[in-house]
Amino acid sequence: MTDTQPQIFEPEGRAIPYVEDAGSEPVLVLIPGYSNVAALGTLAHVLAEEDFRILRVGYRTAQTEGVTLHDLAQDVVDVMDHVGLGDAWVGGHAFGGAVARIVSIDHTDRVDGVLLLGAEGDEPRTDLEPLQAAAAASVSADEWRALAPTVPVMLIQGGDDDVLPPANGERLQAAAPGLVSLVTLEGGGHLFPATHAGEAAFVIEDYLDVD
C-alpha cells in the first residue's frame, strides 16, 4: 500500500518531512526542487506501480539558520536510516538534484547512482527559496558543480525547460561523459516529472533494466 501522507522525522528537532511509496526494488530516493514534499508524487506513483520502493524526502522546517548543502544531504541520509534503507539511487528535481549530488559525494557508500531531473547550471539560480538559496551559497563553485567520481548519473531533462535549459545537461554530460547518461524529453517543460511522468518513468526503468 502507498502512504501518500507526509510524515515528519525530527532528529534533533530538524523536522524533516518525508513520504514513502510502497514497493520493494529498485529503491529510489527523490528530493523535490522546492519545499513541497508532495512534489514528484505523480512520478513516484507511476514508479511504485512498477514495484519501485520510493522515498520522497523534503526540506527541514526547523533549525534552518546557517544550514548548508551538506546539512541537507545529511538530512536525506538520516531519513534513509530512519526508514531502514541501506543504499539506494538518490535523485532530485532541479535544486533537489544538487542535494542528491552532494549526498553521493558525502555518502558514496549509500548511493548506487544519481538521478537528475533537470540539471542546475554552473551557478545557483536567483529564484530559489530562502533555505535552498542559503544552502547553495554555502558551497564553493567547484562543490556546486561536482559529481562523485565513481557514481553513475542518469540525467533526464525537458526539451522545453525554460528554468533549467537543456544546455545545462549537455554541458554536464560533456564534462563527465563516462559518468553521465542523458535523455531529453521533447516537449517537456520544467515540470516534466508531472506532465511527462510516464515517459520519465520509462526512461528510468529502461536505464535500471527493470522488466
Side-chain angles (χ1 to χ4, degrees):
M1 181 170 121
T2 296
D3 181 4
T4 58
Q5 294 302 311
Q7 302 180 65
I8 302 296
F9 178 48
E10 300 196 70
E12 297 85 42
R14 283 175 271 163
I16 308 163
Y18 70 95
V19 178
E20 288 189 272
D21 296 276
S24 57
E25 59 181 21
V27 182
L28 176 59
V29 177
L30 291 175
I31 308 162
Y34 294 99
S35 296
N36 178 9
V37 72
L40 302 180
T42 303
L43 177 61
H45 295 161
V46 172
L47 291 170
E49 288 179 354
E50 298 301 321
D51 207 34
F52 277 67
R53 180 179 179 184
I54 307 293
L55 172 66
R56 287 178 274 154
V57 181
Y59 298 98
R60 62 169 72 183
T61 58
Q63 297 189 14
T64 57
E65 186 173 354
V67 169
T68 70
L69 200 55
H70 296 280
D71 292 331
L72 296 181
Q74 184 64 54
D75 286 351
V76 173
V77 172
D78 287 345
V79 176
M80 289 174 64
D81 288 341
H82 176 64
V83 302
L85 290 184
D87 58 280
W89 272 76
V90 178
H93 179 226
F95 178 81
V99 178
R101 288 162 66 168
I102 295 296
V103 174
S104 73
I105 292 168
D106 291 355
H107 305 275
T108 303
D109 61 325
R110 307 294 297 274
V111 180
D112 301 323
V114 170
L115 170 66
L116 299 179
L117 301 170
E120 291 284 354
D122 291 340
E123 297 181 358
R125 288 175 287 128
T126 59
D127 63 341
L128 295 172
E129 294 177 329
L131 175 65
Q132 286 87 340
S138 72
V139 297
S140 68
D142 286 344
E143 287 179 293
W144 176 255
R145 294 190 293 262
L147 295 172
T150 60
V151 179
V153 176
M154 176 72 242
L155 168 58
I156 307 172
Q157 60 184 5
D160 294 337
D161 191 336
D162 58 358
V163 177
L164 303 177
N168 289 358
E170 293 161 5
R171 282 197 303 271
L172 184 65
Q173 185 187 46
L179 282 181
V180 180
S181 298
L182 172 62
V183 173
T184 300
L185 300 182
E186 297 304 325
H190 186 59
L191 299 181
F192 76 86
T195 63
H196 293 62
E199 293 174 56
F202 177 81
V203 172
I204 296 167
E205 293 164 23
D206 183 63
Y207 184 82
L208 296 180
D209 195 25
V210 176
D211 294 329

